[in-house]
Amino acid sequence: MPTLDTETVRLHYQSHGQGSRALVFVHGNLGCLQWMDLVWPWLSPALRVHAYDWRGCGDSAKPAPTADYSNYSLETHATDLIAFIDALGLERVDLITHSTGALIADIAMLRAPERFGEILALDPVTPRSLPFDEQALGLFQAMKADRAVAHAGLATAAPTLFEPDSLQAGQAPRYRAASTPEQQACFETLVDHTRKLSDGIWFGIPQHLNRLHHSGEFAGRLGELPQRRRILWGEQDLWIPRADVEAMNAGLPNAELRILPGVGHAMNLEAPEDFAAQVNDFFT
């Protein structure tokens, strides 16, 4: 289990591929680096991808959260991303991001634009961020307390793996016959990893996302992000509004938006070979 020590936290990571082009994968909220497990075999050997668990996630260190969760803010995670790149001894990297990982990457790029090249963003939380009301925060509390609730909540991130009627409130998600044993096993592992999450992730990240949404702190700074970017958005994404990614695409100086039929919020799990093809096409 390789780890790197930054000045403030120990981060667990994996590296894949032997190529000379260095990329970093930044996972989403409630996640871990294993959201890429089904993608690794399909990636081009010309790439060298480093994936790490955020602080509070997976097998990385889990500092006790402060009362205001300030040590789990999006800005803190952006600092961790830059520190991870430093610890790897890399001057400049390209990025693959998923969900909230995109917002963390954007904050890091605004802070140190010279460290980052091109970005492939899967179903990104945009600089508009996302609102979280009391009902949404209550759902996170229920997911933390009960694995079955966490299972049902995460199933909405990968809806094409499950029978649609089983994704209704109060139902136990049932796998579609078309989902593979590998996809099912990976999903169950990802749910198991939610049992490891720090409270700084469960409760801090939603609060910080809500704060950024209402403050609009980063929403007007898209023009400061000139890096070439491809945005992928699953047509069945139940988490990220299409209007958000369309506005993000329109506001970025050098972006391309692709709408993907047949997948939801997690193409890396729902269609890993196709996601790898997007990575290979964009970066090679």
Side-chain angles (χ1 to χ4, degrees), residues 166-212:
S166 72
L167 294 178
Q168 304 303 313
Q171 300 294 312
R174 302 188 312 276
Y175 288 108
R176 285 181 171 175
S179 65
T180 68
E182 292 77 15
Q183 287 173 311
Q184 296 177 22
C186 185
F187 182 82
E188 297 299 328
T189 296
L190 298 177
V191 176
D192 287 340
H193 273 272
T194 66
R195 308 299 86 199
K196 299 181 178 183
L197 295 171
S198 163
D199 283 358
I201 300 298
W202 279 114
F203 309 127
I205 295 298
Q207 290 186 26
H208 289 299
L209 287 170
N210 193 53
R211 171 181 58 84
L212 291 179

Side-chain angles (χ1 to χ4, degrees), residues 176-257:
R176 285 181 171 175
S179 65
T180 68
E182 292 77 15
Q183 287 173 311
Q184 296 177 22
C186 185
F187 182 82
E188 297 299 328
T189 296
L190 298 177
V191 176
D192 287 340
H193 273 272
T194 66
R195 308 299 86 199
K196 299 181 178 183
L197 295 171
S198 163
D199 283 358
I201 300 298
W202 279 114
F203 309 127
I205 295 298
Q207 290 186 26
H208 289 299
L209 287 170
N210 193 53
R211 171 181 58 84
L212 291 179
H213 174 77
H214 290 290
S215 72
E217 183 176 349
F218 295 109
R221 301 186 65 184
L222 287 170
E224 300 175 42
L225 297 168
Q227 294 88 349
R228 186 173 80 97
R229 182 181 315 221
R230 179 180 295 173
I231 302 167
L232 305 176
W233 184 78
E235 207 166 34
Q236 298 183 44
D237 191 333
L238 303 175
W239 291 18
I240 307 298
R242 178 169 179 164
D244 279 13
V245 295
E246 289 178 337
M248 181 185 194
N249 183 61
L252 287 166
N254 191 13
E256 164 201 9
L257 173 61

Side-chain angles (χ1 to χ4, degrees), residues 83-95:
F84 176 68
I85 296 167
D86 287 339
L88 288 172
L90 299 172
E91 291 295 324
R92 182 179 171 90
V93 299
D94 299 312
L95 294 172

Side-chain angles (χ1 to χ4, degrees), residues 54-57 61-66 68-77 198-201 204-205 208:
W54 297 359
R55 67 167 62 207
C57 296
K62 298 171 178 62
T66 57
D68 61 356
Y69 299 111
S70 58
N71 61 335
Y72 281 90
S73 69
L74 280 300
E75 294 85 350
T76 298
H77 286 291
S198 163
D199 283 358
I201 300 298
I205 295 298
H208 289 299

Side-chain angles (χ1 to χ4, degrees), residues 238-284:
L238 303 175
W239 291 18
I240 307 298
R242 178 169 179 164
D244 279 13
V245 295
E246 289 178 337
M248 181 185 194
N249 183 61
L252 287 166
N254 191 13
E256 164 201 9
L257 173 61
R258 293 190 177 185
I259 306 298
L260 307 171
V263 291
H265 185 69
M267 187 187 192
N268 43 351
L269 180 61
E270 297 169 273
E273 186 176 356
D274 292 341
F275 181 59
Q278 290 282 351
V279 175
N280 295 337
D281 174 67
F282 186 69
F283 290 112
T284 64

